[in-house]
Amino acid sequence: MEIWIVESKQELSIISAKFVAHTVRQKPNAVLGLATGSTPLGMYKELIQLHQEHSLDFSRVTTFNLDEYVGLSSNHPQSYYSYMYNHFFQHVNILSENIHIPRGDAPDPEWECKMYEVAITEEGQIDLQILGIGSNGHIGFNEPGSSPESVTRVVHLAESTIKANARFFTSIELVPCQSITMGMKTILINAKRILLLASGEEKAEAVKRMILGNLTPQLPASFLRTHPNVTVILDIEAAKQLRDVNKIPLSIVYM
Ligand code: GLP
């Protein structure tokens, strides 16, 4: 696991976008695993700019999103489909048939999960998987308790996640309590390279436990340490609890 610490969220956005751009330039038909949440918003903005001003081409790129709320249709304003469309897809030249997001309103969510897992496996590999982290250490919607063997499935959201995500809804009662998420195994097995982004002090504890704590389902992000190719980009705030980290053999780059 390589840790990069940057000055600001803006820098985090620029560097993560460069990562994605590099992947796409090296391999124009790259498969990207994409994340939602507030953390990667700046990265998507940068990518749009790279597309518009530096002809970064997404026409052969395939994407798989990590997760979607159960019960929300793709055109629901708070669905992750709407998030991706509004903040990224509509601004670049990606083909709609190359976009994959679990259907939150699928009539049989369990079947939807199975088919999503099959679609990812059939793709062969995800060249670059973008991840955020929840303040409880979740990735995607793999909440505490998630096994490293878990695959795409329907999960119940943790109380803390519902509270954290209520800011995107008009009231907390409207936050769905279930979602479809790629599993831990889905991510760990299929991603060739992983880029995890964390910004803000509210992530500092989870970041510290991810890097220095035990490998435990209680902090699903800790299992990323079992993957051979993970880069973590943190802003200063998210890295706040890593003060003693110089005593530990970690590859840390201060940007
Ligand atoms: C959400 C998403 C995750 C995301 C996380 C952090 O619940 N399912 O994929 O990484 O929460 O979100 P944010 O970046 O807004 O802090």
Side-chain angles (χ1 to χ4, degrees):
M1 185 177 265
E2 192 170 292
I3 323 286
W4 296 7
I5 299 173
V6 300
E7 282 295 324
S8 63
K9 191 170 180 183
Q10 198 197 349
E11 220 176 313
L12 176 145
S13 302
I14 294 169
I15 293 172
S16 52
K18 281 188 180 158
F19 243 87
V20 177
H22 179 74
T23 305
V24 172
R25 289 206 163 106
Q26 292 280 107
K27 188 178 174 192
N29 63 343
V31 181
L32 302 177
L34 297 179
T36 52
S38 49
T39 311
L41 279 175
M43 178 190 81
Y44 291 127
K45 242 185 183 167
E46 292 294 326
L47 284 171
I48 293 166
Q49 204 175 336
L50 287 171
H51 167 70
Q52 290 172 346
E53 293 168 18
H54 300 277
S55 55
L56 182 62
D57 180 17
F58 290 92
S59 64
R60 294 173 60 202
V61 166
T62 295
T63 62
F64 285 90
N65 263 78
L66 280 168
D67 45 19
E68 179 59 284
Y69 290 111
V70 168
L72 301 194
S73 62
S74 56
N75 61 2
H76 187 285
Q78 265 71 46
S79 72
Y80 283 165
Y81 185 95
S82 293
Y83 169 110
M84 289 306 302
Y85 182 79
N86 293 333
H87 297 296
F88 187 45
F89 294 147
Q90 70 164 323
H91 306 286
V92 297
N93 64 336
I94 190 160
L95 303 182
S96 56
E97 59 265 37
N98 291 345
I99 293 170
H100 301 85
I101 302 181
R103 273 188 57 200
D105 62 349
D108 182 347
E110 306 293 342
W111 181 251
E112 176 72 10
C113 294
K114 277 204 177 84
M115 290 300 100
Y116 202 68
E117 186 76 20
V118 167
I120 294 170
T121 313
E122 279 181 352
E123 199 57 53
Q125 74 186 6
I126 292 176
D127 293 291
L128 180 64
Q129 174 67 58
I130 306 296
L131 296 175
I133 182 169
S135 46
N136 64 0
H138 75 218
I139 56 176
F141 271 129
N142 290 283
E143 299 284 24
S146 294
S147 148
E149 292 303 314
S150 55
V151 295
T152 304
R153 66 203 188 287
V154 175
V155 294
H156 286 272
L157 302 188
E159 208 50 52
S160 60
T161 301
I162 293 177
K163 273 191 193 138
N165 290 1
R167 68 189 194 277
F168 300 112
F169 292 79
T170 44
S171 93
I172 193 163
E173 288 75 33
L174 296 176
V175 184
C177 51
Q178 286 186 315
S179 83
I180 291 175
T181 183
M182 274 189 203
M184 293 302 301
K185 186 174 166 191
T186 320
I187 297 166
L188 293 168
I189 292 286
N190 293 294
K192 202 171 155 195
R193 183 160 202 190
I194 294 175
L195 182 62
L196 182 139
L197 311 176
S199 162
E201 197 174 356
E202 65 280 10
K203 303 294 172 69
E205 167 82 24
V207 163
K208 180 185 173 189
R209 289 178 62 203
M210 168 180 73
I211 296 170
L212 302 172
N214 296 333
L215 295 188
T216 168
Q218 288 321 310
L219 197 103
S222 63
F223 291 117
L224 294 175
R225 301 211 312 266
T226 65
H227 188 283
N229 200 352
V230 178
T231 302
V232 174
I233 308 185
L234 307 171
D235 66 9
I236 292 280
E237 298 294 309
K240 240 181 183 161
Q241 294 195 25
L242 297 178
R243 263 183 228 112
D244 294 334
V245 94
N246 289 336
K247 294 179 194 154
I248 293 138
L250 275 174
S251 163
I252 296 202
V253 183
Y254 289 88
M255 306 296 288

mmCIF file of all heavy atoms in Angstrom, residues 156-193:
data_model
loop_
_atom_site.group_PDB
_atom_site.id
_atom_site.type_symbol
_atom_site.label_atom_id
_atom_site.label_comp_id
_atom_site.label_asym_id
_atom_site.label_seq_id
_atom_site.Cartn_x
_atom_site.Cartn_y
_atom_site.Cartn_z
ATOM 1 N N HIS A 156 -27.686 -3.995 4.212
ATOM 2 C CA HIS A 156 -28.344 -2.976 5.027
ATOM 3 C C HIS A 156 -27.320 -1.910 5.360
ATOM 4 O O HIS A 156 -26.190 -2.237 5.739
ATOM 5 C CB HIS A 156 -28.894 -3.600 6.319
ATOM 6 C CG HIS A 156 -30.104 -4.427 6.056
ATOM 7 N ND1 HIS A 156 -31.373 -3.893 6.045
ATOM 8 C CD2 HIS A 156 -30.232 -5.748 5.753
ATOM 9 C CE1 HIS A 156 -32.233 -4.855 5.743
ATOM 10 N NE2 HIS A 156 -31.566 -5.978 5.562
ATOM 11 N N LEU A 157 -27.698 -0.662 5.246
ATOM 12 C CA LEU A 157 -26.753 0.403 5.549
ATOM 13 C C LEU A 157 -26.647 0.597 7.059
ATOM 14 O O LEU A 157 -27.641 0.498 7.790
ATOM 15 C CB LEU A 157 -27.200 1.714 4.897
ATOM 16 C CG LEU A 157 -27.350 1.653 3.374
ATOM 17 C CD1 LEU A 157 -27.613 3.035 2.812
ATOM 18 C CD2 LEU A 157 -26.105 1.056 2.727
ATOM 19 N N ALA A 158 -25.425 0.903 7.494
ATOM 20 C CA ALA A 158 -25.203 1.180 8.916
ATOM 21 C C ALA A 158 -25.904 2.500 9.264
ATOM 22 O O ALA A 158 -26.021 3.397 8.409
ATOM 23 C CB ALA A 158 -23.706 1.284 9.195
ATOM 24 N N GLU A 159 -26.331 2.595 10.520
ATOM 25 C CA GLU A 159 -26.982 3.807 11.014
ATOM 26 C C GLU A 159 -26.119 5.043 10.707
ATOM 27 O O GLU A 159 -26.611 6.078 10.243
ATOM 28 C CB GLU A 159 -27.160 3.648 12.540
ATOM 29 C CG GLU A 159 -28.322 4.385 13.159
ATOM 30 C CD GLU A 159 -29.650 4.165 12.452
ATOM 31 O OE1 GLU A 159 -30.027 2.994 12.237
ATOM 32 O OE2 GLU A 159 -30.301 5.178 12.128
ATOM 33 N N SER A 160 -24.799 4.902 10.944
ATOM 34 C CA SER A 160 -23.886 6.045 10.743
ATOM 35 C C SER A 160 -23.814 6.439 9.264
ATOM 36 O O SER A 160 -23.670 7.616 8.929
ATOM 37 C CB SER A 160 -22.499 5.715 11.277
ATOM 38 O OG SER A 160 -21.985 4.596 10.591
ATOM 39 N N THR A 161 -23.947 5.453 8.369
ATOM 40 C CA THR A 161 -23.908 5.757 6.930
ATOM 41 C C THR A 161 -25.188 6.491 6.526
ATOM 42 O O THR A 161 -25.148 7.460 5.760
ATOM 43 C CB THR A 161 -23.771 4.445 6.118
ATOM 44 O OG1 THR A 161 -22.571 3.789 6.535
ATOM 45 C CG2 THR A 161 -23.726 4.701 4.634
ATOM 46 N N ILE A 162 -26.312 6.016 7.066
ATOM 47 C CA ILE A 162 -27.586 6.675 6.750
ATOM 48 C C ILE A 162 -27.516 8.137 7.212
ATOM 49 O O ILE A 162 -27.871 9.054 6.461
ATOM 50 C CB ILE A 162 -28.766 5.921 7.406
ATOM 51 C CG1 ILE A 162 -28.892 4.537 6.727
ATOM 52 C CG2 ILE A 162 -30.067 6.721 7.312
ATOM 53 C CD1 ILE A 162 -29.963 3.627 7.306
ATOM 54 N N LYS A 163 -26.987 8.341 8.402
ATOM 55 C CA LYS A 163 -26.855 9.714 8.917
ATOM 56 C C LYS A 163 -25.922 10.536 8.035
ATOM 57 O O LYS A 163 -26.224 11.671 7.669
ATOM 58 C CB LYS A 163 -26.291 9.681 10.352
ATOM 59 C CG LYS A 163 -27.381 9.529 11.383
ATOM 60 C CD LYS A 163 -26.829 9.760 12.782
ATOM 61 C CE LYS A 163 -27.854 9.277 13.786
ATOM 62 N NZ LYS A 163 -27.284 8.544 14.914
ATOM 63 N N ALA A 164 -24.770 9.938 7.688
ATOM 64 C CA ALA A 164 -23.778 10.686 6.887
ATOM 65 C C ALA A 164 -24.350 11.044 5.516
ATOM 66 O O ALA A 164 -24.084 12.131 4.991
ATOM 67 C CB ALA A 164 -22.504 9.860 6.735
ATOM 68 N N ASN A 165 -25.141 10.142 4.930
ATOM 69 C CA ASN A 165 -25.638 10.383 3.576
ATOM 70 C C ASN A 165 -26.943 11.178 3.551
ATOM 71 O O ASN A 165 -27.409 11.567 2.479
ATOM 72 C CB ASN A 165 -25.780 9.061 2.825
ATOM 73 C CG ASN A 165 -24.419 8.467 2.501
ATOM 74 O OD1 ASN A 165 -23.393 9.043 2.857
ATOM 75 N ND2 ASN A 165 -24.393 7.340 1.840
ATOM 76 N N ALA A 166 -27.494 11.430 4.746
ATOM 77 C CA ALA A 166 -28.753 12.203 4.818
ATOM 78 C C ALA A 166 -28.565 13.604 4.243
ATOM 79 O O ALA A 166 -29.535 14.225 3.783
ATOM 80 C CB ALA A 166 -29.232 12.276 6.261
ATOM 81 N N ARG A 167 -27.322 14.092 4.219
ATOM 82 C CA ARG A 167 -27.094 15.443 3.693
ATOM 83 C C ARG A 167 -27.471 15.581 2.214
ATOM 84 O O ARG A 167 -27.685 16.675 1.719
ATOM 85 C CB ARG A 167 -25.649 15.885 3.941
ATOM 86 C CG ARG A 167 -24.600 15.120 3.147
ATOM 87 C CD ARG A 167 -23.197 15.501 3.668
ATOM 88 N NE ARG A 167 -22.119 15.094 2.808
ATOM 89 C CZ ARG A 167 -21.577 13.871 2.791
ATOM 90 N NH1 ARG A 167 -22.051 12.930 3.594
ATOM 91 N NH2 ARG A 167 -20.587 13.599 1.980
ATOM 92 N N PHE A 168 -27.547 14.457 1.516
ATOM 93 C CA PHE A 168 -27.908 14.518 0.099
ATOM 94 C C PHE A 168 -29.422 14.426 -0.126
ATOM 95 O O PHE A 168 -29.899 14.584 -1.234
ATOM 96 C CB PHE A 168 -27.224 13.378 -0.663
ATOM 97 C CG PHE A 168 -25.720 13.419 -0.572
ATOM 98 C CD1 PHE A 168 -25.011 12.445 0.116
ATOM 99 C CD2 PHE A 168 -25.017 14.459 -1.169
ATOM 100 C CE1 PHE A 168 -23.616 12.491 0.197
ATOM 101 C CE2 PHE A 168 -23.625 14.521 -1.094
ATOM 102 C CZ PHE A 168 -22.931 13.531 -0.409
ATOM 103 N N PHE A 169 -30.165 14.128 0.936
ATOM 104 C CA PHE A 169 -31.628 13.954 0.834
ATOM 105 C C PHE A 169 -32.321 15.082 1.601
ATOM 106 O O PHE A 169 -31.703 15.717 2.458
ATOM 107 C CB PHE A 169 -32.038 12.594 1.426
ATOM 108 C CG PHE A 169 -31.546 11.411 0.623
ATOM 109 C CD1 PHE A 169 -30.231 10.979 0.727
ATOM 110 C CD2 PHE A 169 -32.397 10.735 -0.241
ATOM 111 C CE1 PHE A 169 -29.767 9.895 -0.015
ATOM 112 C CE2 PHE A 169 -31.947 9.646 -0.987
ATOM 113 C CZ PHE A 169 -30.629 9.226 -0.875
ATOM 114 N N THR A 170 -33.610 15.295 1.316
ATOM 115 C CA THR A 170 -34.289 16.384 2.023
ATOM 116 C C THR A 170 -34.588 16.019 3.476
ATOM 117 O O THR A 170 -34.703 16.891 4.330
ATOM 118 C CB THR A 170 -35.594 16.808 1.304
ATOM 119 O OG1 THR A 170 -36.285 15.617 0.919
ATOM 120 C CG2 THR A 170 -35.310 17.647 0.077
ATOM 121 N N SER A 171 -34.690 14.715 3.773
ATOM 122 C CA SER A 171 -34.814 14.321 5.186
ATOM 123 C C SER A 171 -34.234 12.927 5.371
ATOM 124 O O SER A 171 -34.170 12.135 4.407
ATOM 125 C CB SER A 171 -36.279 14.367 5.635
ATOM 126 O OG SER A 171 -36.861 13.094 5.476
ATOM 127 N N ILE A 172 -33.822 12.633 6.589
ATOM 128 C CA ILE A 172 -33.143 11.353 6.850
ATOM 129 C C ILE A 172 -34.051 10.151 6.570
ATOM 130 O O ILE A 172 -33.587 9.089 6.162
ATOM 131 C CB ILE A 172 -32.562 11.323 8.287
ATOM 132 C CG1 ILE A 172 -31.588 10.136 8.453
ATOM 133 C CG2 ILE A 172 -33.660 11.279 9.355
ATOM 134 C CD1 ILE A 172 -30.677 10.222 9.647
ATOM 135 N N GLU A 173 -35.363 10.359 6.720
ATOM 136 C CA GLU A 173 -36.319 9.263 6.466
ATOM 137 C C GLU A 173 -36.291 8.832 5.001
ATOM 138 O O GLU A 173 -36.710 7.724 4.662
ATOM 139 C CB GLU A 173 -37.761 9.684 6.816
ATOM 140 C CG GLU A 173 -38.054 9.812 8.302
ATOM 141 C CD GLU A 173 -37.450 11.055 8.910
ATOM 142 O OE1 GLU A 173 -37.378 12.084 8.192
ATOM 143 O OE2 GLU A 173 -37.023 10.990 10.079
ATOM 144 N N LEU A 174 -35.836 9.718 4.142
ATOM 145 C CA LEU A 174 -35.836 9.398 2.707
ATOM 146 C C LEU A 174 -34.579 8.632 2.264
ATOM 147 O O LEU A 174 -34.483 8.191 1.123
ATOM 148 C CB LEU A 174 -35.975 10.677 1.879
ATOM 149 C CG LEU A 174 -37.298 11.421 2.075
ATOM 150 C CD1 LEU A 174 -37.309 12.722 1.298
ATOM 151 C CD2 LEU A 174 -38.484 10.541 1.657
ATOM 152 N N VAL A 175 -33.608 8.491 3.171
ATOM 153 C CA VAL A 175 -32.393 7.758 2.794
ATOM 154 C C VAL A 175 -32.735 6.263 2.773
ATOM 155 O O VAL A 175 -33.208 5.730 3.781
ATOM 156 C CB VAL A 175 -31.238 7.984 3.803
ATOM 157 C CG1 VAL A 175 -29.965 7.296 3.320
ATOM 158 C CG2 VAL A 175 -31.016 9.471 4.051
ATOM 159 N N PRO A 176 -32.526 5.596 1.633
ATOM 160 C CA PRO A 176 -32.826 4.160 1.598
ATOM 161 C C PRO A 176 -31.991 3.421 2.642
ATOM 162 O O PRO A 176 -30.873 3.844 2.965
ATOM 163 C CB PRO A 176 -32.413 3.748 0.180
ATOM 164 C CG PRO A 176 -32.442 4.999 -0.612
ATOM 165 C CD PRO A 176 -32.048 6.088 0.329
ATOM 166 N N CYS A 177 -32.523 2.344 3.192
ATOM 167 C CA CYS A 177 -31.750 1.629 4.222
ATOM 168 C C CYS A 177 -31.042 0.408 3.658
ATOM 169 O O CYS A 177 -30.340 -0.285 4.371
ATOM 170 C CB CYS A 177 -32.606 1.301 5.437
ATOM 171 S SG CYS A 177 -34.111 0.491 4.983
ATOM 172 N N GLN A 178 -31.206 0.191 2.346
ATOM 173 C CA GLN A 178 -30.495 -0.924 1.716
ATOM 174 C C GLN A 178 -29.805 -0.439 0.447
ATOM 175 O O GLN A 178 -30.242 0.542 -0.166
ATOM 176 C CB GLN A 178 -31.481 -2.012 1.299
ATOM 177 C CG GLN A 178 -32.028 -2.822 2.463
ATOM 178 C CD GLN A 178 -32.872 -3.973 1.942
ATOM 179 O OE1 GLN A 178 -33.688 -3.782 1.050
ATOM 180 N NE2 GLN A 178 -32.656 -5.151 2.478
ATOM 181 N N SER A 179 -28.779 -1.165 0.075
ATOM 182 C CA SER A 179 -28.161 -0.855 -1.219
ATOM 183 C C SER A 179 -27.618 -2.130 -1.836
ATOM 184 O O SER A 179 -27.505 -3.157 -1.160
ATOM 185 C CB SER A 179 -27.051 0.169 -1.060
ATOM 186 O OG SER A 179 -25.883 -0.473 -0.685
ATOM 187 N N ILE A 180 -27.297 -2.015 -3.114
ATOM 188 C CA ILE A 180 -26.549 -3.087 -3.793
ATOM 189 C C ILE A 180 -25.109 -2.612 -3.842
ATOM 190 O O ILE A 180 -24.848 -1.461 -4.211
ATOM 191 C CB ILE A 180 -27.081 -3.291 -5.231
ATOM 192 C CG1 ILE A 180 -28.494 -3.882 -5.182
ATOM 193 C CG2 ILE A 180 -26.139 -4.179 -6.036
ATOM 194 C CD1 ILE A 180 -29.159 -4.017 -6.542
ATOM 195 N N THR A 181 -24.193 -3.458 -3.428
ATOM 196 C CA THR A 181 -22.786 -3.058 -3.494
ATOM 197 C C THR A 181 -21.925 -4.186 -4.044
ATOM 198 O O THR A 181 -22.191 -5.362 -3.787
ATOM 199 C CB THR A 181 -22.257 -2.642 -2.100
ATOM 200 O OG1 THR A 181 -20.896 -2.194 -2.230
ATOM 201 C CG2 THR A 181 -22.291 -3.765 -1.079
ATOM 202 N N MET A 182 -20.912 -3.811 -4.809
ATOM 203 C CA MET A 182 -19.862 -4.788 -5.139
ATOM 204 C C MET A 182 -19.336 -5.288 -3.799
ATOM 205 O O MET A 182 -19.259 -4.524 -2.828
ATOM 206 C CB MET A 182 -18.678 -4.081 -5.816
ATOM 207 C CG MET A 182 -18.750 -3.876 -7.265
ATOM 208 S SD MET A 182 -17.090 -3.271 -7.777
ATOM 209 C CE MET A 182 -17.490 -2.455 -9.270
ATOM 210 N N GLY A 183 -18.955 -6.553 -3.740
ATOM 211 C CA GLY A 183 -18.432 -7.083 -2.484
ATOM 212 C C GLY A 183 -16.950 -6.791 -2.321
ATOM 213 O O GLY A 183 -16.292 -6.273 -3.225
ATOM 214 N N MET A 184 -16.441 -7.152 -1.166
ATOM 215 C CA MET A 184 -15.012 -6.976 -0.910
ATOM 216 C C MET A 184 -14.197 -7.833 -1.879
ATOM 217 O O MET A 184 -13.211 -7.391 -2.432
ATOM 218 C CB MET A 184 -14.675 -7.376 0.540
ATOM 219 C CG MET A 184 -15.272 -6.478 1.583
ATOM 220 S SD MET A 184 -14.755 -4.769 1.376
ATOM 221 C CE MET A 184 -12.983 -4.911 1.516
ATOM 222 N N LYS A 185 -14.672 -9.080 -2.055
ATOM 223 C CA LYS A 185 -13.943 -9.977 -2.955
ATOM 224 C C LYS A 185 -14.027 -9.474 -4.394
ATOM 225 O O LYS A 185 -13.050 -9.523 -5.139
ATOM 226 C CB LYS A 185 -14.522 -11.389 -2.842
ATOM 227 C CG LYS A 185 -13.756 -12.427 -3.617
ATOM 228 C CD LYS A 185 -14.301 -13.800 -3.328
ATOM 229 C CE LYS A 185 -13.801 -14.819 -4.321
ATOM 230 N NZ LYS A 185 -14.535 -16.079 -4.174
ATOM 231 N N THR A 186 -15.205 -8.980 -4.760
ATOM 232 C CA THR A 186 -15.381 -8.446 -6.119
ATOM 233 C C THR A 186 -14.299 -7.398 -6.397
ATOM 234 O O THR A 186 -13.679 -7.384 -7.460
ATOM 235 C CB THR A 186 -16.769 -7.769 -6.247
ATOM 236 O OG1 THR A 186 -17.740 -8.536 -5.566
ATOM 237 C CG2 THR A 186 -17.158 -7.561 -7.680
ATOM 238 N N ILE A 187 -14.093 -6.528 -5.415
ATOM 239 C CA ILE A 187 -13.119 -5.443 -5.592
ATOM 240 C C ILE A 187 -11.697 -6.007 -5.571
ATOM 241 O O ILE A 187 -10.894 -5.742 -6.462
ATOM 242 C CB ILE A 187 -13.298 -4.388 -4.475
ATOM 243 C CG1 ILE A 187 -14.679 -3.736 -4.575
ATOM 244 C CG2 ILE A 187 -12.180 -3.348 -4.519
ATOM 245 C CD1 ILE A 187 -15.109 -2.936 -3.353
ATOM 246 N N LEU A 188 -11.420 -6.812 -4.555
ATOM 247 C CA LEU A 188 -10.033 -7.265 -4.353
ATOM 248 C C LEU A 188 -9.547 -8.193 -5.459
ATOM 249 O O LEU A 188 -8.386 -8.167 -5.838
ATOM 250 C CB LEU A 188 -9.905 -7.957 -2.986
ATOM 251 C CG LEU A 188 -10.085 -7.019 -1.783
ATOM 252 C CD1 LEU A 188 -10.247 -7.819 -0.492
ATOM 253 C CD2 LEU A 188 -8.918 -6.044 -1.665
ATOM 254 N N ILE A 189 -10.455 -9.003 -5.982
ATOM 255 C CA ILE A 189 -10.058 -9.982 -7.004
ATOM 256 C C ILE A 189 -9.978 -9.348 -8.396
ATOM 257 O O ILE A 189 -9.103 -9.653 -9.187
ATOM 258 C CB ILE A 189 -11.090 -11.158 -7.044
ATOM 259 C CG1 ILE A 189 -11.009 -11.965 -5.767
ATOM 260 C CG2 ILE A 189 -10.953 -12.032 -8.271
ATOM 261 C CD1 ILE A 189 -9.775 -12.847 -5.664
ATOM 262 N N ASN A 190 -10.913 -8.454 -8.684
ATOM 263 C CA ASN A 190 -11.006 -7.953 -10.064
ATOM 264 C C ASN A 190 -10.168 -6.715 -10.349
ATOM 265 O O ASN A 190 -9.853 -6.442 -11.504
ATOM 266 C CB ASN A 190 -12.466 -7.664 -10.420
ATOM 267 C CG ASN A 190 -13.292 -8.935 -10.485
ATOM 268 O OD1 ASN A 190 -13.061 -9.775 -11.355
ATOM 269 N ND2 ASN A 190 -14.199 -9.097 -9.549
ATOM 270 N N ALA A 191 -9.868 -5.930 -9.317
ATOM 271 C CA ALA A 191 -9.149 -4.683 -9.588
ATOM 272 C C ALA A 191 -7.649 -4.939 -9.732
ATOM 273 O O ALA A 191 -7.023 -5.536 -8.857
ATOM 274 C CB ALA A 191 -9.394 -3.682 -8.468
ATOM 275 N N LYS A 192 -7.117 -4.469 -10.857
ATOM 276 C CA LYS A 192 -5.681 -4.600 -11.085
ATOM 277 C C LYS A 192 -4.949 -3.561 -10.228
ATOM 278 O O LYS A 192 -3.905 -3.803 -9.671
ATOM 279 C CB LYS A 192 -5.437 -4.315 -12.580
ATOM 280 C CG LYS A 192 -4.178 -4.867 -13.125
ATOM 281 C CD LYS A 192 -4.194 -4.694 -14.639
ATOM 282 C CE LYS A 192 -2.778 -4.646 -15.181
ATOM 283 N NZ LYS A 192 -2.750 -4.127 -16.553
ATOM 284 N N ARG A 193 -5.530 -2.394 -10.170
ATOM 285 C CA ARG A 193 -4.956 -1.319 -9.365
ATOM 286 C C ARG A 193 -6.088 -0.601 -8.638
ATOM 287 O O ARG A 193 -7.170 -0.419 -9.202
ATOM 288 C CB ARG A 193 -4.217 -0.347 -10.290
ATOM 289 C CG ARG A 193 -3.541 0.746 -9.534
ATOM 290 C CD ARG A 193 -2.444 1.413 -10.302
ATOM 291 N NE ARG A 193 -1.554 2.048 -9.340
ATOM 292 C CZ ARG A 193 -0.585 2.874 -9.656
ATOM 293 N NH1 ARG A 193 -0.361 3.154 -10.909
ATOM 294 N NH2 ARG A 193 0.173 3.420 -8.718
#
